[in-house]
Amino acid sequence: MPSHRVPSEADVISTVEFNHTGELLATGDKGGRVVIFQREPESKNAPHSQGEYDVYSTFQSHEPEFDYLKSLEIEEKINKIKWLPQQNAAHSLLSTNDKTIKLWKITERDKRPEGYNLKDEEGKLKDLSTVTSLQVPVLKPMDLMVEVSPRRVFANGHTYHINSISVNSDCETYMSADDLRINLWHLAITDRSFNIVDIKPANMEDLTEVITASEFHPHHCNLFVYSSSKGSLRLCDMRAAALCDKHSKLFEEPEDPSNRSFFSEIISSVSDVKFSHSGRYMLTRDYLTVKVWDLNMEARPIETYQVHDYLRSKLCSLYENDCIFDKFECAWNGSDSVIMTGAYNNFFRMFDRNTKRDVTLEASRESSKPRAVLKPRRVCVGGKRRRDDISVDSLDFTRKILHTAWHPAENIIAVAAANNLYIFQDKVNSETH
């Protein structure tokens, strides 16, 4: 569902997240807004056709602020959104910019009370001397209203920019991570958090790595993982110590000396880490690859998939235009059998872990027409070109897919490209194409 107006920087989507049932999909943008899409119910005329996603609610989550102590402007850009498991009819989500996390409650109203004894229809108090009889107020139907209200504001917990938030499986706590520290919060307490990881050196000149992402284990509330700019993953157990600076497991792939170059450290930085739904595996994305790690094997990943290996010869120009620092996300499908991640030229990649097949697809205006079938794309490096192939030299590095999400149970994916949100659905089967 791409938008057709001229994009402004504020409209650029910065995060995409399905809720736990997949019925709602939230996006955040650089202008501090959150847009929630709801899946329409199946139509009675065509019972097997799945509902489309339509705008459910839009609200301003964050505003630009100014840090007077550091003379820095704090952007309103939404870095991450996380849904809380649903406890009642209302929905709740956490959204964060660089510094402040907010808890929002989303409720529906389709009835309004009428017939108050002490108030008139406009809500003003009546003159008590005119009240001669008592009546029972009644609920009358009204047009559906979606109300979004801020429930908590979790501020002042981070000196550096927040890069991730993750809700714990205990449904009571969540963590937030910045470049050097990870904090644990209780969802009901806003004025304090517990610092559970602190990698800040006593002398900042000794700083060699930063935290890039973190996530709680989906089933064990004591376990979490965080990734670093040096390409390593650290699994921590909160039962072991209050401060988890000593990790329980370190996942790191030994570097191949033959591949060593000036860019090795930059391209090995992990931009995203996601536990599988089963909790057995972890998925990581670095600049050129996605890797699957088994929690029981620290020495090396069990699977490595090349996302765009044809860029290896272009690293110098990608360094000069800063693209080498782009942070791509990755996602699992509902059964952990297929993984997805974005690339340049509005391409995104899917890898089937069972068949070892992979496919490159493109999010574009043409592919977003109703019932359009996505055609696989191929990038060629020199030599003979097949028809429809695209040359590596003609890739557009300004068009990139950094943010992706996969429906928790079905083959529905959401892909953000600049100010456009594309939702693709596999109507036929459960294959990756």
Side-chain angles (χ1 to χ4, degrees):
M1 44 181 71
S3 63
H4 291 278
R5 59 203 169 98
V6 178
S8 74
E9 185 70 9
D11 295 330
V12 171
I13 296 170
S14 51
T15 185
V16 185
E17 189 83 8
F18 280 101
N19 77 338
H20 295 270
T21 62
E23 291 305 298
L24 297 176
L25 170 67
T27 65
D29 65 25
K30 289 192 172 180
R33 291 179 300 266
V34 172
V35 181
I36 302 173
F37 297 87
Q38 184 184 44
R39 197 174 184 188
E40 292 297 308
E42 292 179 14
S43 70
K44 287 176 184 154
N45 307 334
H48 296 295
S49 76
Q50 295 293 328
E52 308 249 319
Y53 283 84
D54 290 322
V55 175
Y56 178 62
S57 179
T58 304
F59 62 96
Q60 189 72 32
S61 170
H62 287 69
E63 303 276 0
E65 294 174 60
F66 195 77
D67 185 334
Y68 292 98
L69 288 174
K70 295 187 175 156
S71 295
L72 285 176
E73 193 170 355
I74 301 165
E75 282 185 305
E76 65 272 39
K77 174 189 155 208
I78 308 294
N79 291 344
K80 284 286 183 286
I81 291 172
K82 290 290 176 207
W83 291 91
L84 271 58
Q86 197 173 354
Q87 313 278 6
N88 49 38
H91 295 277
S92 300
L93 62 79
L94 290 166
S95 63
T96 186
N97 66 351
D98 284 341
K99 297 287 181 186
T100 305
I101 306 150
K102 296 184 181 182
L103 173 63
W104 298 91
K105 185 179 178 184
I106 301 109
T107 51
E108 288 185 358
R109 266 205 338 197
D110 60 358
K111 294 183 178 67
R112 68 166 189 264
E114 274 187 14
Y116 283 113
N117 291 294
L118 302 178
K119 290 179 190 168
D120 61 20
E121 277 156 26
E122 291 172 3
K124 293 180 185 156
L125 281 173
K126 291 180 184 174
D127 179 358
L128 294 183
S129 61
T130 62
V131 180
T132 55
S133 62
L134 290 176
Q135 59 183 343
V136 178
V138 290
L139 289 171
K140 292 273 181 76
M142 61 177 248
D143 290 340
L144 179 68
M145 268 180 62
V146 179
E147 294 181 334
V148 180
S149 53
R151 308 297 292 185
R152 310 252 193 290
V153 176
F154 304 89
N156 307 320
H158 287 276
T159 309
Y160 307 98
H161 291 177
I162 297 170
N163 55 47
S164 31
I165 49 176
S166 178
V167 180
N168 199 341
S169 59
D170 66 9
C171 300
E172 284 191 352
T173 56
Y174 75 92
M175 68 177 174
S176 55
D178 65 25
D179 297 336
L180 298 177
R181 297 187 181 103
I182 300 176
N183 292 337
L184 181 70
W185 302 81
H186 193 286
L187 283 160
I189 301 168
T190 58
D191 59 354
R192 64 183 179 276
S193 62
F194 293 99
N195 179 231
I196 51 175
V197 171
D198 187 346
I199 65 165
K200 185 183 177 194
N203 181 356
M204 282 296 269
E205 287 176 10
D206 299 333
L207 183 68
T208 57
E209 64 181 328
V210 294
I211 298 165
T212 55
S214 68
E215 190 176 60
F216 268 121
H217 190 280
H219 312 304
H220 301 301
C221 61
N222 52 292
L223 295 178
F224 68 92
V225 68
Y226 69 91
S227 58
S228 92
S229 56
K230 278 195 164 174
S232 59
L233 299 171
R234 288 175 175 84
L235 187 73
C236 301
D237 188 341
M238 291 193 292
R239 296 173 302 185
L243 191 64
C244 299
D245 285 355
K246 292 188 172 66
H247 50 266
S248 303
K249 287 189 175 187
L250 175 67
F251 300 81
E252 204 165 32
E253 187 170 25
E255 189 182 35
D256 180 354
S258 63
N259 281 341
R260 179 91 189 131
S261 77
F262 171 76
F263 305 109
S264 295
E265 195 162 307
I266 302 171
I267 63 172
S268 66
S269 176
V270 175
S271 54
D272 195 17
V273 58
K274 295 268 167 63
F275 277 107
S276 62
H277 296 82
S278 67
R280 171 73 189 267
Y281 304 103
M282 295 179 294
L283 176 64
T284 61
R285 171 71 205 258
D286 56 40
Y287 192 63
L288 296 177
T289 67
V290 275
K291 295 172 181 171
V292 177
W293 302 77
D294 188 321
L295 254 65
N296 299 330
M297 192 171 103
E298 295 146 79
R300 66 185 62 83
I302 55 168
E303 296 157 32
T304 299
Y305 301 96
Q306 299 297 331
V307 177
H308 39 208
D309 203 46
Y310 46 79
L311 295 183
R312 207 173 276 280
S313 61
K314 305 262 175 222
L315 292 176
C316 198
S317 56
L318 290 164
Y319 178 75
E320 284 168 7
N321 64 16
D322 278 352
C323 284
I324 203 167
F325 302 107
D326 284 336
K327 292 177 169 50
F328 292 94
E329 294 171 7
C330 51
W332 297 90
N333 73 338
S335 61
D336 299 334
S337 60
V338 184
I339 54 184
M340 169 176 64
T341 191
Y344 292 107
N345 213 67
N346 278 7
F347 288 169
F348 57 99
R349 303 270 283 137
M350 288 186 174
F351 303 92
D352 188 313
R353 298 179 59 213
N354 299 325
T355 64
K356 300 301 175 197
R357 294 213 319 252
D358 66 276
V359 67
T360 302
L361 301 169
E362 182 179 6
S364 66
R365 288 275 159 82
E366 290 67 43
S367 63
S368 67
K369 288 171 183 152
R371 285 177 288 286
V373 177
L374 288 177
K375 281 197 208 120
R377 302 300 307 265
R378 275 169 44 94
V379 178
C380 69
V381 187
K384 281 188 181 172
R385 248 174 88 182
R386 289 195 214 165
R387 203 169 136 265
D388 290 343
D389 278 9
I390 183 164
S391 157
V392 67
D393 294 318
S394 57
L395 291 174
D396 185 347
F397 293 109
T398 62
R399 295 166 67 235
K400 57 191 92 170
I401 289 178
L402 303 175
H403 312 290
T404 56
W406 203 311
H407 187 290
E410 296 177 43
N411 272 346
I412 298 173
I413 58 170
V415 171
N419 65 318
N420 295 325
L421 176 68
Y422 296 90
I423 297 176
F424 298 115
Q425 182 168 350
D426 187 348
K427 301 250 179 185
V428 188
N429 54 34
S430 57
E431 291 294 319
T432 59
H433 55 270

